[in-house]
Amino acid sequence: MSPLLFFKRMIARELPRYTLNVLVWLMFYTSPIALGLLTRMFFDSVSNQSEAGVNLWGVVVGFITIAAFRSASIVMGSWTDADYRFRITSRLRLNLMRVLISSPGEAVSGSPSETVNYFRDDVNQIDDTLTGLLDAICIFIFGMLSFFIMMRINPFITLWVMVPLMLVLLLVHLLSGRLQSLMSDSRDSTSALSGFLGDIMQIVQAIKISSAEKDIVSQYGLRLNSNRQVMLKHHLFNQAMRHASSNIVQIGTGFILLAASIGGADGRMTVGDLSLFVIYLSYAAEFIQFFGKITGDFKQAKVSIDRLQRLIGRPKMHGVVGRASLLNSPVMKRPEPLELLEVRGLTYKYPVGNKGIWDIGFTVAKGEIVVIAGKIGSGKSTLLKCILGLIPIQEGEVRWNSQVMIQSEAMVSPAVAYVAQSPAILSGTLEENIRFGLDDITEAEVQEAVQYAALNPDVSLLNHGLQSQVGSGGIMVSGGQKKRIAIARAILRCTDLLVLDDFSSGLDNATEEQIRQHLYADGKKGCIIATHNTNLLRNAHRVVVLSDGKVEAIGTPEDLMVRNETFRTLVQQPVSSIDNDC
Amino acid sequence: MRLAIRGYMKLYAVYLAAEWKKMIALSILLLTGTLIQLANPQLLKLFINHSMHESGYQSILIPLMFILLSIATHLFSLGASYLGLFIGLKATNALKVDLLRHSLSLKMSFYDRNLPGSMIERIDGDVNPLVHFFSQIVVSITTNFLVWTGIIILLFLEGWQIGITMLLFSAVAFYIIIRTRKLIIPYWSKLRELTTEYYGLLQERISALDEIRVNGAANYTIRLMSKLFDRWLILQRKAITWGSIPWVVSVMLYQMAMASAFIICYYLSRHGAISLGSIYVVFYYSGLLIKPLEDIRIEMDNLQQAEANIKRVNELFSIEPEEQKSSISWKSLLHYSIRYEDVSFSYSTSGNLLLQNINIHVKHGETLCILGRTGSGKSTLARLLTGLYKPKSGRIVIGDVQVEEITTHELRDGIGYVTQEVQLFHGTIRDNLTLFNPSIEDFQIIQAFDELGLTEWYRERDKGLDSLIGPTNSKLSSGEAQLLTVVRVFLKDPKIIILDEATSQLDISTELKLKHAIQRLLQGRTGIIITHRIELTDLADCIMILDQGNVSESGSMQELSNQTNSQYRQLLARGIEGGQP
């Protein structure tokens, strides 16, 4: 999406607020017009020496009025500016989040903090460009107005002043590309330098035992030195351009004087005219600065927009910036109650390496507990994610009562609930983490889920019970508690299909036994559970043994005990030694 | 505050002393630039009084002069800005180098507590803002003050009434500028809290995307964020609006200055006491009066920030480096036998002893193999020998001299130590192996490759020794990475060799190749081989088994394998059966 189209769409959503904001700032940016005219009046009256000509207090009142007017428009403009910009960017942020949640997990390939960067740096860049755009519009209008007035006062001198102004503008435009590349050089060099420092700090021991301190320090010095050259180059260039535009006032004034001297009759001007010209010139100089900034900003914004597009995909980008509000997505229609889930020929290969799952097939009926077993790295979690549509199915299908499920839409609550291998516990209260958005469910049902997940002894020990805070990332609760909170969360959803990744890690035998009994007694759900837990392996309705991403055997535990070697070793290993690995 | 100022002066003295010539040049540039900048409007006055009043404006001399001086101002300020950054960067770079040197001289135990990320922050992050401190703050405060004083003087010259008015005006203005600054701070810190909250929330949710999706919490998540945005919007508007106050003040003061100039000039002109040119200049100067005052205020803020950074820098400097009471030269040692006498050690000050009364003797030219489970304290023994850590009690003697008394860098130069941790960095193969020691020649590296069976691997590199590698480089298997760290030892001529699990990542055939190389390396040198694999024991003259910080067995290979119930025999039996310990 081009930046222009992007900004057009974004602004279209907040058009009334945007228009108001433009109007307020236009008042601010065009007020120097009056300032110039007033000053001109003052000087012309003083120089005429006519006593009656000068209405001093009129001028002073005029001045104060302009000051008040300018101040008021700054305050008002700050408010309207913050308002519309925040509305635009916050909607962008919300819509991005909405898209991330609804697209398969593969979309977010980087670390969470990398993904946060999109929300921070890229959205902020777009925010900056929005302001820059507005300033540019306003200053352009001021420029036109002042040009018109100056032309009326003295066209000859006006055209003369335009010469240096246009030259600098041209210069800024021509060199902005070079400036950009110098800036990125300077940034790259600086970040490479701190990368080197970080590397040094990683290998301190190696440095010490090789007694290489001296050489390392002098190498660091050398690199600092060459970084200095790059930074200075960028600085000089940048400053030259900035000074050129701020100095345009002085040089322009010089040109006015020059034009007045050589223009003869054409160059005739009063001191008042001079003062007006100089005032307009000083505000026009801002234009050059903004002009340089907005070209740079636009280039940066393009990069950011492209990045966002890469994150969520081109088709969704239109949804994100389009008119439609994504605040509430349509509630999914609950599929008919599950009788039989069929997994057929499911295949997913990771883009890098040779890991994945190939041609997996099995069924889960209502009330059945199917256990996925296999050594570490055999593809258990991948299989679960693929069934849930968290990673795309490359081949094969998942059928719900013989209806083919459309991947990214169907496998969500209320039909399905999921307990991840290391469940996410979010800062907030325990209850918030269990409800996870289900606000209309009764307290009694929450208690029931807590009971189911064998969390009640833990809850009763807490000072605030279910209202206790779990801390950022669930830092206040143990690994086993996290697991059980997530189980309670899943149970509360009254689902047809429960998917549990890694059932028993962090659970002691008694609690694990308790939950297991609840699962057996349930009978209303189909369960798919990946686990090493020997009790569960022995007592499942069916076990799917995976090995290197392929089905090695499927059958009842008794059956597999007889004919499958992998299953036997999995069942015979002591529980603790394996679960520690997860 | 007085302490802070002394801190500044000290840093200034140390890091700017070398640049005093440039500092003087900078001052001259700034002073001249300021003078020109202030003098230039005088030309306007001349022009108005002489040219504009007469019928024709023939003189193009004044306009040309004016343009010339404007360009000169431009060049002077550009030069000053360049020179300022030059000095600033030189000073901060020198400071960074000193900080790194100091950091590397700190004890290893310091690095147990301080992660690389925080060290980058302390050397790089804390110093970067000081560029401005060294190059700008003082200079900027001085120039701005000069500009302001200059303007006031020039205004006095136009008329004492004007001077007095503007002097009083700027006093009031400065007071207002300082006061309004304090008004807006609370909003900004609240805003920062909210921003932090949002990004925390966001990061949490992004790491939980899968569960949010499947468990149907999408709307809930969006609702939660939307609620936060509602709060944020209100605060953002408030903060931005209050934040505009300094700007409003600046606009108001500017206009007031002009209005005052008008009033006073009007009265003076009615008495015929002032020329039109002078009025114009007064008006011109009055417009310039506020900015230097605002700039001074900004620099005062910057100074406060710099103060915090300087404090952190000084904190790092004040941490005690490794003791350097050593004076005995490594070369003066008569032989390189190793003796641990009743050595005890613990990493924490109060914790259990990791090593308890260890006694070891390795004769010159012999090799000891230390076996033991992970966590038995094997690696610590090696670290103590190289002086990375000091024993709690007991002493370690090389030749007849205690380790602490040997010059540290000579000691470490004289010991070839392959650590268990494979420590490589992003850089060329050469730099990774030599650690920037310029005296190591390329042929030596290639020779070492040859000896370690790395030649084939080396031939596959596209840029030879200039090929880039890194700590987490997929081109480099963990075994290759480990072999590279072994190369480092082959590049020096140590008297003592320590190999700490140097073959843990290698497959059997590579290990065998390496074993031969090591055997050659150990000839005529004293060696310690630390391993949990039995395969390397036949390189050793004697064997020691370490168990929970105690020597549980020691003796020659012969002795131990003859003892029927020795642990060594058990290990040997298991090793031969092919199992890993």
Side-chain angles (χ1 to χ4, degrees), chain A residues 22-33 69-74 138 142 283 286, chain B residues 247 251:
Chain A
V22 171
L23 288 176
V24 175
W25 283 109
L26 211 51
M27 292 196 320
F28 173 78
Y29 278 112
T30 51
S31 57
I33 298 277
F69 186 75
R70 276 170 76 79
S71 304
S73 46
I74 289 174
C138 291
F142 166 77
Y283 288 97
E286 272 183 57
Chain B
W247 189 8
V251 165

Side-chain angles (χ1 to χ4, degrees), chain A residues 72-127:
Chain A
S73 46
I74 289 174
V75 173
M76 258 172 71
S78 299
W79 199 92
T80 54
D81 192 59
D83 189 58
Y84 98 89
R85 268 166 64 194
F86 189 82
R87 283 171 198 274
I88 285 184
T89 52
S90 64
R91 188 163 311 169
L92 181 60
R93 287 182 167 123
L94 280 181
N95 286 354
L96 276 176
M97 189 64 190
R98 165 69 70 194
V99 170
L100 282 191
I101 294 173
S102 64
S103 43
E106 208 186 25
V108 186
S109 50
S111 69
S113 51
E114 264 175 76
T115 313
V116 169
N117 276 343
Y118 289 96
F119 284 76
R120 186 179 32 228
D121 301 346
D122 292 314
V123 175
N124 282 345
Q125 179 59 51
I126 288 164
D127 194 20

Side-chain angles (χ1 to χ4, degrees), chain A residues 25 28 35 39 42-43 46-47 54 56 60 63 66-67 70-71 74-75 78-79 83 86-87 90 93-94 97-98 101-102 108 112-113 116 119-120 194 197-199 201-206 208-211 215-217 219-221 224 228 232 235-236 239-240 243-244 247 250 253-254 257-258 260-262 267-271 275 278 327-329 385 389-390 408 412-413 416-418 420 423-424 426-427 436-437 439 472-473 489 493, chain B residues 40 44 47-48 52 55 57 59-60 63 66-67 70-71 74 77-78 81-82 85-86 89-90 93 96-97 100-101 104-106 108 111 116 119-120 123-124 198-199 202-220 222-223 225-226 229 232-233 237 240-241 244 247-248 251-252 255 258 262-263 266-267 276 279-280 283-284 322 383 388 409 412-413 417 419 421 423-426 435-438 488 492:
Chain A
W25 283 109
F28 173 78
L35 195 68
T39 313
F42 174 82
F43 275 104
V46 173
S47 55
V54 190
L56 172 74
V60 169
F63 248 89
I66 294 171
R70 276 170 76 79
S71 304
I74 289 174
V75 173
S78 299
W79 199 92
D83 189 58
F86 189 82
R87 283 171 198 274
S90 64
R93 287 182 167 123
L94 280 181
M97 189 64 190
R98 165 69 70 194
I101 294 173
S102 64
V108 186
S113 51
V116 169
F119 284 76
R120 186 179 32 228
S194 51
L197 188 61
D199 277 352
M201 289 302 153
Q202 297 276 11
I203 60 162
V204 171
Q205 184 176 280
K208 279 182 174 278
I209 60 169
S210 315
S211 65
D215 293 331
I216 291 279
V217 169
Q219 177 67 22
Y220 184 57
L224 278 170
R228 194 185 69 207
L232 278 172
H235 179 79
L236 187 64
Q239 288 298 311
H243 281 268
N247 250 42
Q250 298 245 321
T253 309
L257 302 187
L258 194 63
S261 310
I262 62 172
R268 199 164 293 274
M269 71 188 307
T270 64
V271 180
S275 65
V278 172
L327 201 55
N328 272 301
S329 72
K385 283 189 178 174
L390 295 173
S408 54
V412 295
S413 172
V416 182
Y418 170 49
L426 308 175
S427 40
F436 220 50
D439 291 336
S472 144
R489 179 191 289 165
R493 270 143 235 267
Chain B
N40 216 7
L44 276 175
F47 186 82
I48 292 170
M52 276 176 117
S55 42
Y57 314 131
S59 159
I60 63 162
F66 190 89
I67 294 175
S70 299
I71 293 174
H74 176 48
S77 64
L78 194 61
S81 156
Y82 180 83
L85 185 69
F86 186 92
L89 283 176
K90 262 227 144 139
N93 284 356
K96 283 181 190 176
V97 165
L100 179 66
R101 184 179 299 122
L104 287 179
S105 77
L106 298 175
M108 266 325 276
Y111 287 93
M119 288 309 292
I120 298 178
I123 297 181
D124 208 39
Y198 167 65
Y199 287 117
L202 185 66
Q203 180 148 5
E204 235 182 31
R205 312 287 134 156
I206 283 176
S207 31
L209 280 179
D210 284 357
E211 284 159 280
I212 288 175
R213 190 172 118 76
V214 179
N215 293 321
N219 287 346
Y220 166 61
I222 300 289
R223 234 172 22 238
M225 300 208 153
S226 158
F229 281 147
W232 188 349
L233 172 64
R237 283 191 306 224
I240 300 267
T241 311
S244 70
W247 189 8
V248 169
V251 165
M252 289 290 253
Q255 309 265 84
M258 305 284 246
F262 281 144
I263 296 171
Y266 171 76
Y267 283 110
L276 194 57
I279 296 179
Y280 190 82
F283 160 78
Y284 198 100
E322 285 180 300
R383 290 183 189 142
L388 289 176
H409 80 93
R412 289 177 187 161
D413 247 357
Y417 177 14
T419 56
E421 302 84 7
Q423 295 198 318
L424 296 174
F425 60 92
H426 297 275
L435 294 176
F436 303 102
N437 181 348
R488 285 186 190 144
K492 44 187 192 179

Side-chain angles (χ1 to χ4, degrees), chain B residues 330-349:
Chain B
W330 176 257
K331 291 197 186 85
S332 70
L333 301 187
L334 297 173
H335 56 95
Y336 298 93
S337 66
I338 302 166
R339 248 187 5 255
Y340 287 67
E341 296 172 359
D342 287 323
V343 171
S344 296
F345 179 76
S346 154
Y347 282 103
S348 60
T349 41

Side-chain angles (χ1 to χ4, degrees), chain A residues 226-432:
Chain A
S226 60
N227 175 250
R228 194 185 69 207
Q229 314 288 348
V230 178
M231 282 179 78
L232 278 172
K233 210 165 154 188
H234 168 238
H235 179 79
L236 187 64
F237 210 82
N238 189 27
Q239 288 298 311
M241 278 173 65
R242 280 187 48 188
H243 281 268
S245 43
S246 62
N247 250 42
I248 197 69
V249 188
Q250 298 245 321
I251 294 172
T253 309
F255 269 74
I256 294 172
L257 302 187
L258 194 63
S261 310
I262 62 172
D266 284 336
R268 199 164 293 274
M269 71 188 307
T270 64
V271 180
D273 295 340
L274 175 68
S275 65
L276 177 134
F277 270 71
V278 172
I279 285 178
Y280 287 0
L281 201 58
S282 68
Y283 288 97
E286 272 183 57
F287 177 64
I288 295 168
Q289 274 171 16
F290 277 114
F291 180 77
K293 188 175 171 305
I294 192 73
T295 6
D297 270 355
F298 242 81
K299 278 180 193 149
Q300 293 280 319
K302 187 171 171 6
V303 174
S304 289
I305 292 167
D306 287 347
R307 269 168 53 87
L308 291 180
Q309 192 156 295
R310 237 176 296 134
L311 176 72
I312 62 173
R314 180 185 280 271
K316 285 184 183 130
M317 194 69 182
H318 287 272
V320 167
V321 297
R323 265 194 169 279
S325 167
L326 293 174
L327 201 55
N328 272 301
S329 72
V331 176
M332 213 62 74
K333 211 179 100 220
R334 185 171 188 141
E336 53 186 286
L338 178 75
E339 295 300 330
L340 184 69
L341 186 89
E342 295 167 82
V343 177
R344 292 185 183 174
L346 219 52
T347 298
Y348 177 82
K349 186 185 173 304
Y350 283 98
V352 274
N354 49 8
K355 291 242 166 195
I357 51 170
W358 286 271
D359 195 25
I360 309 262
F362 63 93
T363 61
V364 187
K366 178 180 171 184
E368 254 189 339
I369 296 180
V370 174
V371 165
I372 314 289
K375 290 196 192 112
I376 293 149
S378 57
K380 297 189 295 293
S381 291
T382 310
L383 173 60
L384 296 189
K385 283 189 178 174
C386 203
I387 293 173
L388 290 169
L390 295 173
I391 51 178
I393 294 178
Q394 287 165 352
E395 270 170 57
E397 59 188 25
V398 178
R399 284 170 180 259
W400 182 283
N401 298 348
S402 74
Q403 194 96 22
V404 178
M405 304 282 278
I406 301 163
Q407 268 262 299
S408 54
E409 287 166 16
M411 294 303 263
V412 295
S413 172
V416 182
Y418 170 49
V419 176
Q421 190 164 25
S422 38
I425 303 299
L426 308 175
S427 40
T429 65
L430 203 55
E431 179 162 348
E432 278 167 358

